[in-house]
Amino acid sequence: MKNQVQVIAEIANAHSGSPDKCLEILDTIANSTVHNVKLQIYSGGDICSSKHPRREHFNKQSFSEATWKEIIDFARSKQLNIYADVFGIDSMHIAKSNNIRQIKIHSSDTLNIPLLTEVAKYVNTLFLSAGGTFLSELSECTKYLSSKGIKDEQIVLMHGFQAYPSPMSKARLNRIEELRQIFGTTYKYGYMDHIDGGIDDSMYFPLLSLPYKVNYIEKHVTIRRDEKATDYYSSIEADQLSNFNSLVCKYNDSIAKSAFEMSDDELNYRKTVKKSWFSYTTQPKGETPLAIKMQRPNPGENKNLLNYESIKESTLCENLETDQLVSSNDIKLRVNIVVVAR
């Protein structure tokens, strides 16, 4: 079965602390072909200390528990599938009280044991940000989650990081495959795209993650990039989501679950171009070695894919005409017997 890729529309802080703007973004996403949306639930205290220079910035962009309930209820009324970043125990409880069970742990909380402990009690799918996280930290985190009953099938390792925006040259997409080699195929994997949302490449660059068999692609969205609101750097406009989703589906169709799995078209190509062995000249019954050459048979003729050496040294059981297809019924294959003495 082909690997299915889910596009997740990442709102992050594109709402700039305005509930109405958040609802507007959700409404636009709901009118697209993407039905997965991710919210970032936090308070300023979840993210940084009281003396941190950005504490007030995060305070202004956070919502109360009541406001979050209104936003989440609205998203559900629009048939959106909700994911949430949680940055602390309080924000985790908001997600839990609103029955959001697809939770992402930011790379800043990879070793936040109290948070991991609480999330592990109720989560269905747990996304772990692998960007900016050392392999040793990621290993420690997954081992701890396993000790708390989280199964490998529940974990999604997400590669990517935010540099407002992140340069394509620093994406290191091949790390997805390296993570798979280390953590195995039972985990799922994804790519968090953070390149400049204002360039043409923003619609196509994330597609380069598809050969690494990602299950999820996160794409930041906003309403109007020209407003340069919070988190616009990596965002496409929400009305571009359907086009992006179509591109993901279109290009993912070119990737098979197994690299050597042949499509019907490829099998037909093989049937059309593969050559078979033909008699080079008229040859009587009992003839050996055979004079043979490779040619394409007529459409509908059965092909032979016999080994050259074995067919050449075989003995004819029937007379052959020039340019006659050699079938297994026409020859007595030479059999070599190897005696092994001990």
Side-chain angles (χ1 to χ4, degrees):
M1 191 170 94
K2 185 174 291 295
N3 178 50
Q4 298 300 312
V5 181
Q6 297 287 325
V7 174
I8 300 176
E10 165 72 270
I11 292 180
N13 295 308
H15 50 69
S16 300
S18 166
D20 289 340
K21 190 168 186 178
C22 188
L23 297 179
E24 182 185 5
I25 298 172
L26 286 169
D27 192 49
T28 306
I29 294 171
N31 288 322
S32 76
T33 58
V34 174
H35 303 297
N36 304 309
V37 63
K38 186 158 73 65
L39 307 169
Q40 289 189 351
I41 303 176
Y42 63 83
S43 66
D46 279 337
I47 296 179
C48 49
S49 68
S50 59
K51 295 182 180 180
H52 192 282
R54 300 201 74 198
R55 173 65 175 266
E56 187 57 28
H57 165 82
F58 288 114
N59 280 340
K60 288 180 178 179
Q61 297 199 119
S62 61
F63 298 134
S64 67
E65 184 171 355
T67 299
W68 271 123
K69 186 177 187 313
E70 291 177 10
I71 290 170
I72 292 165
D73 286 347
F74 177 82
R76 288 206 169 106
S77 75
K78 294 292 183 175
Q79 308 302 311
L80 291 172
N81 186 26
I82 305 172
Y83 301 71
D85 282 311
V86 296
F87 291 82
I89 300 296
D90 290 343
S91 55
M92 184 279 298
H93 283 306
I94 292 175
K96 183 179 180 181
S97 66
N98 285 281
N99 199 32
I100 300 176
R101 296 181 179 273
Q102 300 176 110
I103 299 296
K104 182 178 169 188
I105 299 296
H106 193 272
S107 61
S108 57
D109 287 306
T110 304
L111 299 180
N112 188 340
I113 298 302
L115 178 60
L116 296 177
T117 302
E118 291 303 310
V119 168
K121 292 177 181 178
Y122 80 96
V123 71
N124 286 342
T125 305
L126 184 55
F127 295 75
L128 298 178
S129 176
T133 302
F134 289 137
L135 184 59
S136 58
E137 296 170 331
L138 203 55
S139 296
E140 184 178 342
C141 175
T142 55
K143 286 178 182 176
Y144 181 78
L145 289 168
S146 178
S147 74
K148 293 300 176 182
I150 294 295
K151 299 177 181 178
D152 290 356
E153 295 86 351
Q154 293 177 264
I155 294 178
V156 184
L157 298 183
M158 299 291 291
H159 171 61
F161 69 96
Q162 176 62 287
Y164 304 101
S166 299
M168 289 184 287
S169 61
K170 303 294 177 63
R172 307 292 191 268
L173 291 174
N174 56 324
R175 190 180 298 172
I176 300 169
E177 180 57 29
E178 292 180 9
L179 288 171
R180 188 189 308 278
Q181 291 176 5
I182 293 167
F183 291 94
T185 57
T186 311
Y187 284 18
K188 291 185 174 65
Y189 297 86
Y191 175 55
M192 302 177 290
D193 175 53
H194 294 101
I195 72 165
D196 186 344
I199 61 177
D200 291 341
D201 287 324
S202 66
M203 297 293 284
Y204 294 95
F205 183 78
L207 306 181
L208 294 177
S209 68
L210 294 175
Y212 297 109
K213 298 182 180 179
V214 293
N215 304 97
Y216 298 90
I217 296 177
E218 277 187 15
K219 193 68 173 169
H220 276 253
V221 295
T222 189
I223 294 295
R224 290 170 289 275
R225 278 187 51 83
D226 58 5
E227 292 182 351
K228 296 187 177 181
T230 310
D231 280 341
Y232 87 96
Y233 306 94
S234 303
S235 299
I236 60 173
E237 295 189 351
D239 59 9
Q240 293 177 279
L241 267 176
S242 291
N243 185 28
F244 178 71
N245 194 40
S246 294
L247 290 171
V248 170
C249 295
K250 175 182 177 180
Y251 287 96
N252 191 50
D253 279 345
S254 70
I255 301 167
K257 184 177 181 181
S258 167
F260 291 98
E261 176 188 342
M262 289 191 183
S263 66
D264 291 341
D265 287 339
E266 186 176 4
L267 288 171
N268 187 58
Y269 167 78
R270 172 186 170 83
K271 182 179 179 181
T272 302
V273 303
K274 282 295 182 181
K275 294 180 179 179
S276 294
W277 294 113
F278 283 78
S279 174
Y280 192 77
T281 184
T282 300
Q283 300 177 74
K285 179 179 178 180
E287 182 85 352
T288 187
L290 304 186
I292 54 176
K293 59 183 176 180
M294 256 200 161
Q295 295 177 315
R296 290 187 188 179
N298 292 327
E301 276 190 301
N302 291 325
K303 290 182 171 59
N304 61 58
L305 295 176
L306 300 171
N307 177 271
Y308 172 75
E309 293 298 333
S310 63
I311 191 173
K312 184 176 185 297
E313 300 300 325
S314 297
T315 302
L316 275 178
C317 299
E318 303 289 342
N319 295 330
L320 286 180
E321 302 295 327
T322 301
D323 284 342
Q324 181 177 335
L325 178 69
V326 181
S327 75
S328 57
N329 294 327
D330 297 323
I331 57 176
K332 182 178 181 181
L333 292 173
R334 180 179 177 181
V335 179
N336 294 319
I337 301 175
V338 178
V339 178
V340 178
R342 299 183 64 182

